[in-house]
Amino acid sequence: LLHHPTYKRKPAKKTKKAVVFFEVEILDAKTKDKLCFLDKVEPNATIGEIKSMFHKSHPQWYPARQSIRLDPKGKSLKDEDVLQHLPVGTTATFYFRDLGAQISWVTVFLTEYTGPLVIYLLFYFRVPFIYPPKYDFTTSKHWVVHLACMCHSFHYVKRLLETLFVHRFSHGTMPLRNIFKNCTYYWGFAAWMAYYINHPLYTPPIYGEQQIRIALIIFLFCQIGNFSIHIALRNLRPPGSKTRKIPYPTKNPFTWIFLLVSCPNYTYELGSWLGFTLMTQCLPVAFFTLVGFIQMTVWAKGKHRSYLKEFRDYPPLRSPILPFIL
């Protein structure tokens, strides 16, 4: 019968593998009090999904406000981290820390960049209560003052447009307090620079037109370079993705600096402000450039370290911000 041509053997029933569910316990990182217990959590659940579950029991802590970590003093886990791939047992214990009220990066950038654009123009047009009344709504006789206004405005309009149409943010939000800190920095420096550059007693650079023209070339060159790097970085990350790749030079010559520098966007940014400093020969601009350089160096070093840590084949010749120097 088994060898009869019309006989068909019944397929063996596939045994289903039992899914091992996790139990997740979330404790307060400071007090160690139990805040939440999640039962029957699927092993392929992500930290982002666990945050959403936690949010249901604690509506005041929306996911962007949560920091979930394995150790009370450890680093925050990424939203894309999968439960079963973490060093935890089937009963997982996580620690929660409140990050405070959050605000989107786009909102922060638009606010901090709109301020300098508007503030500078108020000084440029010499609106009342800034300079003595006899100078209200007068214009400077020095053409470099008008050129500086165009360059400053161009820079921040570029930043605003890049925020809206170019940048892709790996993190959607930042702490709300940052908007006050960032705006104080950008708005305050813009007012300080604009006051002196547009002052009725302002004097042009020592070497006149030649110095101004060289400075303008440096400024525009670095602005184009900065934009080119931002486009190259955007193209590395598909929409909605948080994947990180090693940036390499493209056919655009402005991106060839990637051969020597990890963060050429900061290199070009520094060059732009050095050009603006040379153009205006104004001490507040030089101080703003110096402070910006120090901050960008900190960011560049941090990003450079993360590249080295994440990618074993990361190009060894690259420096964080200045080729062969820093």
Side-chain angles (χ1 to χ4, degrees), residues 8-26:
K8 291 184 180 179
R9 186 188 296 271
K10 291 183 179 180
K13 291 183 179 180
K14 294 182 179 179
T15 56
K16 292 184 178 180
K17 292 183 179 179
V19 178
V20 179
F21 290 100
F22 282 65
E23 293 178 342
V24 175
E25 183 182 50
I26 300 178

Side-chain angles (χ1 to χ4, degrees), residues 181-196:
K181 179 179 66 177
N182 292 12
C183 287
T184 300
Y185 171 76
Y186 282 104
W187 295 17
F189 265 116
W192 191 28
M193 292 188 295
Y195 176 81
Y196 284 98

Side-chain angles (χ1 to χ4, degrees), residues 59-98:
Q60 73 274 28
W61 292 321
Y62 45 90
R65 189 167 179 161
Q66 300 173 31
S67 169
I68 302 296
R69 49 191 74 182
L70 292 169
D71 183 84
K73 296 182 180 179
K75 292 184 179 180
S76 299
L77 295 170
K78 297 177 182 178
D79 284 353
E80 57 268 25
D81 286 340
V82 179
L83 183 57
Q84 64 183 351
H85 297 154
L86 295 172
V88 295
T90 52
T91 301
T93 300
F94 294 113
Y95 295 90
F96 160 80
R97 189 177 290 274
D98 182 12

Side-chain angles (χ1 to χ4, degrees), residues 5 45 94 97 113 121 128 142 154 204 302:
F94 294 113
R97 189 177 290 274
Y113 296 156
L121 291 174
H142 304 299
F154 174 81

Side-chain angles (χ1 to χ4, degrees), residues 231-247:
I231 293 295
L233 292 174
R234 170 191 166 86
N235 293 337
L236 277 181
R237 180 178 291 164
S241 170
K242 292 185 179 180
T243 57
R244 283 163 54 89
K245 299 177 184 177
I246 299 175

Side-chain angles (χ1 to χ4, degrees), residues 121-127 131-146 149 197-202:
L121 291 174
L122 294 177
F123 285 87
Y124 174 74
F125 290 113
R126 295 176 179 171
V127 298
Y131 303 114
K134 66 178 181 178
Y135 296 111
D136 289 353
F137 298 111
T138 59
T139 56
S140 175
K141 61 182 178 180
H142 304 299
W143 70 279
V144 66
V145 172
H146 308 297
C149 180
I197 296 172
N198 297 288
H199 198 283
L201 301 179
Y202 170 80

